[in-house]
Amino acid sequence: MIEDLLPDGAVASDVFGPDGSATLHPEEAALVARTTELRREEFTTVRACARRALAALGLPPAPVLPGVRNAPRWPEGVVGSMTHCAGYRAAALARDTDLAMIGIDAEPDLPLPGGVLESIALPRELAWARSGGFGTRLCRDRLLFSAKEAVYKTWYPLLGTELDFDDADISFRHEEGPAGRPQGTFTARILRPRPGPDGRPVHTFTGRWLSDRGIIVTAITVPASRAATTVSCRPGPDRHKGG
């Protein structure tokens, strides 16, 4: 599912639900030894997805440990992102010679809990989220939340600074997908631009989204050749909840 949103050069692995064959490296297992069974399962399965993606890049399996702000620490020369929600786990990776960064997020296609939308949305976004779907059933509030998570999961590893929900103003476009599947693109205008790796300000991200099988997924990728100004994903409150 997530691979439908990624460009050439990126690889992905995802599963709908637990992976009973997944195992952890000892240093990973120590991090979740005292957590709930659900947390251990999510942690284990999403790392199995990450190791399958590493294999698709021709790299050996490696532990995926959390770094600052829980962002995954990838092997040298690799960029990527992980995500999990009820019923879905995914990882997307690339070599840093192909992409400068990836940010993905998955959410159940269900309304946000009460009060959450108001805490994440700018006034224009709030009006849009409350205005209904794209001619079909789609939880706009959850799509907005997922896109903001994808923005953060792209921004923080790339820039190394915090970004609040109200620092990105997001707009969406809808496309008719196969069998009427809701999908489209989004643009995130960064309201507090900062210099990117090449010194030019990063002020816009564009990405893609889709909803299928009760799950909303969003993805942003930053091409290695233009990791600044406007960065895009071509077709193809722990903020790093993918960990």
Side-chain angles (χ1 to χ4, degrees), residues 2 25 47 60 63 91 103 115 167 169 183 185 188 206-207 219 228:
I2 196 68
H25 288 250
R47 278 160 176 75
D167 288 330
D169 184 2
Q183 63 182 49
T185 61
T206 63

Tab-separated table of all heavy atoms in Angstrom, residues 2 25 47 60 63 91 103 115 167 169 183 185 188 206-207 219 228:
chain	number	residue	atom	x	y	z
A	2	ILE	N	1.833	1.336	0.923
A	2	ILE	CA	2.660	2.536	1.001
A	2	ILE	C	3.523	2.699	-0.242
A	2	ILE	O	3.849	3.829	-0.649
A	2	ILE	CB	3.525	2.529	2.286
A	2	ILE	CG1	4.085	3.935	2.589
A	2	ILE	CG2	4.654	1.516	2.193
A	2	ILE	CD1	3.062	4.937	2.993
A	25	HIS	N	16.445	-7.955	17.440
A	25	HIS	CA	17.816	-8.033	17.906
A	25	HIS	C	17.814	-7.817	19.422
A	25	HIS	O	16.916	-7.155	19.968
A	25	HIS	CB	18.678	-6.975	17.223
A	25	HIS	CG	18.968	-7.266	15.785
A	25	HIS	ND1	20.220	-7.619	15.338
A	25	HIS	CD2	18.169	-7.269	14.697
A	25	HIS	CE1	20.187	-7.820	14.030
A	25	HIS	NE2	18.953	-7.618	13.620
A	47	ARG	N	9.763	-3.340	12.667
A	47	ARG	CA	11.190	-3.559	12.417
A	47	ARG	C	11.420	-4.708	11.438
A	47	ARG	O	12.401	-4.695	10.679
A	47	ARG	CB	11.927	-3.762	13.739
A	47	ARG	CG	12.244	-2.417	14.369
A	47	ARG	CD	12.529	-2.445	15.833
A	47	ARG	NE	12.907	-1.084	16.251
A	47	ARG	CZ	12.028	-0.075	16.404
A	47	ARG	NH1	10.732	-0.285	16.197
A	47	ARG	NH2	12.438	1.127	16.771
A	60	PRO	N	22.443	-5.832	4.638
A	60	PRO	CA	22.198	-6.883	5.633
A	60	PRO	C	21.232	-6.404	6.703
A	60	PRO	O	21.036	-5.202	6.907
A	60	PRO	CB	23.596	-7.135	6.222
A	60	PRO	CG	24.297	-5.826	6.068
A	60	PRO	CD	23.796	-5.255	4.766
A	63	PRO	N	19.885	-3.864	13.550
A	63	PRO	CA	18.944	-3.333	14.538
A	63	PRO	C	18.534	-1.913	14.169
A	63	PRO	O	19.336	-1.149	13.628
A	63	PRO	CB	19.728	-3.370	15.846
A	63	PRO	CG	21.160	-3.400	15.453
A	63	PRO	CD	21.213	-4.121	14.143
A	91	ALA	N	7.359	0.308	6.599
A	91	ALA	CA	8.641	1.001	6.581
A	91	ALA	C	8.980	1.336	5.140
A	91	ALA	O	8.679	0.565	4.224
A	91	ALA	CB	9.744	0.132	7.185
A	103	GLY	N	9.339	10.632	4.776
A	103	GLY	CA	8.456	10.670	5.940
A	103	GLY	C	7.134	10.023	5.600
A	103	GLY	O	6.463	10.428	4.644
A	115	GLY	N	-11.540	16.886	20.377
A	115	GLY	CA	-10.575	17.902	20.779
A	115	GLY	C	-9.252	17.858	20.054
A	115	GLY	O	-8.504	18.848	20.080
A	167	ASP	N	2.763	24.894	12.587
A	167	ASP	CA	3.831	25.460	11.764
A	167	ASP	C	3.731	25.031	10.307
A	167	ASP	O	4.548	25.472	9.485
A	167	ASP	CB	5.205	25.045	12.306
A	167	ASP	CG	5.550	25.738	13.607
A	167	ASP	OD1	5.091	26.877	13.816
A	167	ASP	OD2	6.270	25.123	14.428
A	169	ASP	N	0.919	24.606	7.132
A	169	ASP	CA	-0.424	24.854	6.600
A	169	ASP	C	-0.607	23.927	5.397
A	169	ASP	O	0.077	24.077	4.376
A	169	ASP	CB	-0.542	26.317	6.190
A	169	ASP	CG	-1.938	26.678	5.707
A	169	ASP	OD1	-2.826	25.803	5.723
A	169	ASP	OD2	-2.142	27.845	5.305
A	183	GLN	N	-7.645	8.992	-3.166
A	183	GLN	CA	-6.216	9.250	-3.146
A	183	GLN	C	-5.973	10.637	-3.713
A	183	GLN	O	-6.884	11.271	-4.244
A	183	GLN	CB	-5.442	8.212	-3.954
A	183	GLN	CG	-5.769	8.203	-5.448
A	183	GLN	CD	-5.008	7.123	-6.179
A	183	GLN	OE1	-4.985	5.963	-5.768
A	183	GLN	NE2	-4.390	7.491	-7.288
A	185	THR	N	-2.950	14.261	-3.648
A	185	THR	CA	-1.712	14.918	-3.281
A	185	THR	C	-1.985	15.938	-2.177
A	185	THR	O	-3.131	16.312	-1.926
A	185	THR	CB	-1.085	15.632	-4.485
A	185	THR	OG1	-1.999	16.632	-4.962
A	185	THR	CG2	-0.787	14.654	-5.601
A	188	ALA	N	2.268	21.115	1.872
A	188	ALA	CA	2.457	21.668	3.210
A	188	ALA	C	3.334	22.908	3.100
A	188	ALA	O	4.506	22.820	2.724
A	188	ALA	CB	3.103	20.645	4.130
A	206	THR	N	5.662	18.674	-0.665
A	206	THR	CA	4.481	18.096	-1.303
A	206	THR	C	4.541	16.585	-1.155
A	206	THR	O	5.619	15.990	-1.111
A	206	THR	CB	4.362	18.486	-2.790
A	206	THR	OG1	5.484	17.966	-3.513
A	206	THR	CG2	4.310	19.985	-2.947
A	207	GLY	N	3.398	15.966	-1.057
A	207	GLY	CA	3.343	14.526	-0.843
A	207	GLY	C	2.112	13.914	-1.472
A	207	GLY	O	1.349	14.582	-2.175
A	219	ALA	N	2.717	10.156	2.485
A	219	ALA	CA	4.158	10.026	2.271
A	219	ALA	C	4.720	11.281	1.629
A	219	ALA	O	4.105	11.880	0.742
A	219	ALA	CB	4.466	8.825	1.388
A	228	ALA	N	15.902	21.176	-0.746
A	228	ALA	CA	15.597	22.502	-0.228
A	228	ALA	C	14.509	23.139	-1.071
A	228	ALA	O	14.057	22.578	-2.065
A	228	ALA	CB	16.838	23.380	-0.251
